Amino acid sequence: MALSFCGSNKCISNESISNKCVNAYSVDEGVLNNGCFVDALNLVPHVFLLFITFPILFIGWGSQSSKVQIHHNTWLHFPGHNLRWILTFSLLFVHVCEFAEGIVSNQNMDHLHLYMPAFMGFIAATTSVVYYHNIETSNFPKLLLVLFIYWVLAFITKSIKLWKYAEYNVGPQYLRFCITALLVILYALLMAVEMNVIRVRKYVFFTNPPKVKPPEDLQDLGVRFLQPFVNLLSKATYWWMNPLIIGAHKRPIELKKIGKLPIAMRALTNYLRLKDAYEDQRVKDPCRPPSIWRSMYRAFGRPILLSSTFRYLADLLGFAGPLCILGIVKHLKDVYFGVHFMSSSMLLQNTSVLAVLLFLALVLQRTFLQASYYVTIETGINLRGALLAMIYNKILRLSTSNMSMGEMTLGQINNLVAIETNQLMWFLFLCPNLWAMPVQIVMGVILLYYFLGFSALVGASVIVLLAPIQYLVATKLADTQKSTLEYSTDRLKKTTEILKGIKLLKLYAWENIFCDSVEETRGKELTSLKTFALYTSISIFMNTAIPIAAVLVTFVMHHLIDKTDPSPSEAFAALALFHILVTPLFLLSTVVRFAVKALVRLVCVKSCYCLNVLSALNGSSYFSVFVQVANGFFTWGSNLSTLSDINIRIPTGQLTMIVGQVGCGKSSLLLAMLGEMQTIEGSVYWILTWHLFSSVSHDAHSKNRHSVAYAAQKSWLLNATVEENITFGSPFSKQRYKAVIDACSLQPDIDLLPFGDQTEIGERGINLSGGQRQRICVARALYQNTNIVFLDDPFSALDIHLSDHLMQEGILKFLEDDKRTVVLVTHKLQYLIHADWIIAMKDGSVLREGTLKDIQTHDIELYDHWKTLMNKQDQDLEKEEEEEEDDDNLSTTTNRRSKIPWKVCWCYLSSGGYFMVFLMVFSKLLKHSVIVAIDYWLALWTSSKTSGTSPTDSISSSRTTLTSETLDSYYLPVFIILCAAGITLCLITSLSVEFLGLSAATSLHHNLLNKIIHAPIRFFDITPLGQILNRFSADTNIIDQHIPPTLESLTRSTLLCLSAIGVISSITPAFLVALVPLAVAFYFIQKYFRVASKDLQDLDDSTQLPLLCHFSETAEGLTTIRAFRHEARFKQRMLELTDTNNTAYLFLSAANRWLEVRTDYLGAVIVLTAAGASIWSLRYGLPSGGLVGLGLTYALTVTNYLNWVVRNLADLEVQMSAVKKVKSFLSTESENYEGSMDTSQVPENWPQDGEIKIQDLCARYDPMLKPVLKHVNAYIKPGQKVGICGRTGSGKSSLSLAFFNMVDIFEGKIVIDGIDICKLPLQTLRSRLSIILQDPVLFSGSIRFNLDPERTCSDDRLWEALEIAQLKNMVKALPGGIDAVVTEGGENFSVGQRQLFCLARAFVRKSSIFIMDEATASIDMATENILQKVVMTAFADRTVVTIAHRVHTILTADLVIVMKRGNILEYDRPETLLEQADGMFASFVKADM
């Protein structure tokens, strides 16, 4: 081709021209026929663009002229946005190739025009995209005209060049022709994109350009998750996350900072998408049941396909690594090509070009991989949001029988929310792997065969044959995890019961029995965990040992079959391929297992979808009655009817009372009217009217007319403030709110709370007393503007003053003034006189119905029975509440911004034992040294073949050349021995880490349980139950199962990175120069990421808890929510909580992508540097080809492991906080169980008489607190019946605890039968006394276990106790009798029955001293009377101390003690005290006359 070259006149030689000298600037044959001028012409568009755009960019004209004010400058609204970015990136890549081709063609460096236009083109393309981005975000499209002109000019000049090449017959066989053709195509496409923008936006050549509005999301100031809205570069590198992640270092990331989700990602949007897909199937094919799988595919299939495409691209680019290593090591000698037009293959033989290509391939591969991860995670989160909304909708419609019959338990609901939906989400994350991995494996094996022939297939077959074993191990792991989960659930259930009943256990000295029971379950759990650890070790071992085994087999087979050894280039390309292949083969088993699991989970979700739902109730049309039940038979799900033959009516605007004994079906009747029970026969009619409220407008009530204000017997509160619990979503009216607070006498209680009515009530109202919880529930019912109010036993936890006040002010005044229809279930018969209508129940049917007058005339016997009960002097005193300080000590000590807690790490490691720590560290270091030695030996072996020299040549070059056989006999055995040692060490290290973790977990849990169970009772008063439970559940689980694999992964990836950097540095010391800036960059990336990741992890955890609580709250309060008709509000709240949690999770995964993209790019730079340094060093003859291959192979592994170092470090930091929390509880002081007397010194039958002397007793709960008993003196004779009474906080309960040495007795003493109780061992003292507490506590198990956990009593003794407690007949009727099942907390018995079991438990222990602490509060009066008689007769010979809730219960006592503020105020026989008219005891009794 007769083109001359700019530069000095030169004689050139080319295939098409004979030797000839030409003038470089000659234009004799026409300007366009001079190659240099054509290239100069190509410079013009680039210079034009730079000249025009730089002033605009620097003056900032674009940014000043924003037409639309929007919150985010990320509004990408020009059409063809993504296509433009993709084309620009392609353009940049082609310019790099053009530049490389120019440089390589021109070795003399005097022909600038060969690479200058390419360089300028690269700068112009970069400028074009920066300029475009600024114009787009500032919304000034007219300035795009500059770009349009640029693309046209560039297209024309490049076309001229291509035309000239064609004219001179320079065809596709030359690389420069191909590059020019590509550039012409790219410029044409970019020109088309620009014309499309003009066509759509009409910003030029048109008179009326259309007005555009930013999307709703971008107008919302709250949306901060910008991934869908930013440009392609920012999307790929997560650049938009920079301010958040860097800012986290200065200020913690809070919920406000992460804002809301874009509309397309919200749970509601995705739920509707899934629901529509589900309904479409129903419409299209009514005969076939809709499939959830198909619905999921229709709703979320497209992004998964996109993600899979990214994944395929990434996997294919992954193979560029081994191929480039092959090329670089192979062509290290071919340095110079003196041609001006070169073929494409020639460029790919240049090592420097290959190094750059390797770098670009790595960058692209990692970008595509992270994009694939991100898309699947986003889709998974969208699916989870949709499924949660679907499940919640279902829960809201569940029939109560599903819950009570155990078809759907709270545990199952929590599982659905926390586990099943997450499993499905994880399955989606792993979905692309299912079809990408097999392709990756096949490609890898083909390339191996291409490199090493048949022997590679043998090596690959090792991996393939071991894959089923890995799958087997993975399934075993899953099974073991399942059994571990069962044991840990069981252990947690037992621990929860212990903590809930800790007071009772301590009083009965049963803590060791229950502790042993937990330890026994923990033993089973640990056995399961041992198996788990073993399988995990095998799994880790196989993952690390398989590549070594494959390499060993491959090279030994190659040696045996081919009788030759591979060249360094082939050997290390194969080594890199083996590293690539192991991951998909290892993960494939996991992915397949996950897919199977997901199918099972989907069945769970579907089964939830198929549960019974409630049917609607009938409306009716007559007005004197509000509700009517006709011929009703109702059940809780079994075929037996709980309520039978119910015919009742609830009159409008009146007070109806339902009365009857414990367990006769009063609460069930209310629920049957609300439609919560299954109707066997008959019907319930509701009048749907709004005219009852004359005082309120029609509009206000048309909405609320179906709503019933309902206060359940078991008080149900939301995790919200007191005010929110009372208003319950209704508009706030100050006057009404105040009236309700006064009616329920809540003001004094609110004043005691730390933030008044803005105090958050803990889960299930934990930081309130029973009475306070109940009154808030009643206040909620009163506050609502509904026509009808149902109150289920609202007085059960209240004393007489509060009950009277609530009855008078709340029910009679507040509700009747409103003319509301009230239905009240109660045991307080003295209120019957206020009832307009009475329904008396007995054994599940209506005994009587009518007014009190009707019953007086028609059923005299019933009326007289009521009268005797009503005439009882009933003076209740509210139970004593020790003020709880809900202070989470940890929150103050745990500093959120803490560095890596090295002390805590050491505490964890030392718990595992010093020998195990030493073994782990030593074996890890040795293993990595051996692995490096194997690869180093391979490099020497393969290099020796190419050079034919021995490895000692570096020391002495005077040795003669060795024969091939001698070399093999030298290298092969050593290679085999090293590989065998490496495989053995892999097993030792994986076992040592797992068993170190197991040993630490065993010791930490054992110490924690013993510390907590022996802690003083004060500890449980000031530490929230949830906090203690967290140590045994979440924290123990982290220590058991999460820390060991994280620790293993962290040490492995760190040592791999360090050994890789060590190897590269030793081969090419020049690499160390580049290492410093890389290390600095890495340090800052990990530093910023760890802080942000910890914050986002905390946010994810803290937003997940309210979501789980909301689900369980809804399930617990279903009846209340449905009675109030508040389903829509709760649904909205659920959607908000789901979105909040999803936002945190999305930000966390985006932060992980942010880190991985950066560490991957750093890894790519390391590879480029290593390759560059090797090529440069080779000119000085430093490393051999084999060692260069070794260095590059190691550099490639760094890219994989760098981000794991940071991720594992961040994870370990979060997980170590679990150890920290457990450690903080290990410093708790234990009670002094020893005592100064030996057990052998205490008589067997002590206390025999039951004589109690209290001498100058002073006691307090804690040395830091004021005394609760001050100088108390009393003497109780053997067998005396003593009553203690006094107002709230007078010290009654404290005195009862002092008998058991449960409070700090710092002065005075209590002497029982001649022995000072403070000298006795606590176990002895507490096991010899008996007590019944106010709150009944039952444990899951059998009735026998609840009465006698020590298994020391005969059946006769147990039956006798049950008979005394009036339970014998009821227990006999149960299946199993005395061995009948008691569910958790005794939920299968009514509250009254539970209290009777507690009485029976106390009777079983034949102690001569018996204490009743307000034990009859939950029992109706008839049962209580029988009990009082029994106590007087069955305990005639025992000392009985009764702490009185109702004064009439102690009127028959031998001695009454009246207490006030920790002192004894009155002390005498009741008759004597009653004679003192102005005495306190007399005033108590008079109060109710």
Side-chain angles (χ1 to χ4, degrees), residues 1178-1191:
L1178 206 77
R1179 293 180 179 170
Y1180 302 95
L1182 286 175
S1184 66
L1187 291 178
V1188 171
L1190 175 69

Side-chain angles (χ1 to χ4, degrees), residues 1212-1273:
L1212 195 69
E1213 213 174 323
V1214 171
Q1215 288 163 6
M1216 276 298 159
S1217 65
V1219 180
K1220 190 173 183 176
K1221 289 172 190 169
V1222 167
K1223 191 175 167 229
S1224 72
F1225 272 22
L1226 292 179
S1227 54
T1228 310
E1229 289 283 320
S1230 294
E1231 281 188 285
N1232 178 18
Y1233 274 79
E1234 296 306 311
S1236 54
M1237 276 176 84
D1238 195 51
T1239 319
S1240 55
Q1241 295 173 285
V1242 184
E1244 272 293 309
N1245 55 358
W1246 180 91
Q1248 196 172 7
D1249 306 325
E1251 176 196 46
I1252 303 172
K1253 291 178 189 163
I1254 303 173
Q1255 298 170 357
D1256 199 32
L1257 180 73
C1258 296
R1260 59 196 171 194
Y1261 279 95
D1262 192 88
M1264 311 296 291
L1265 299 174
K1266 291 177 188 166
V1268 281
L1269 296 172
K1270 303 161 198 165
H1271 306 291
V1272 173
N1273 287 286

Side-chain angles (χ1 to χ4, degrees), residues 528-545:
S528 188
L529 278 170
K530 258 182 203 137
T531 320
F532 184 77
L534 186 67
Y535 284 129
T536 310
S537 306
I538 293 170
S539 178
I540 292 169
F541 158 66
M542 291 184 78
N543 201 22
T544 47

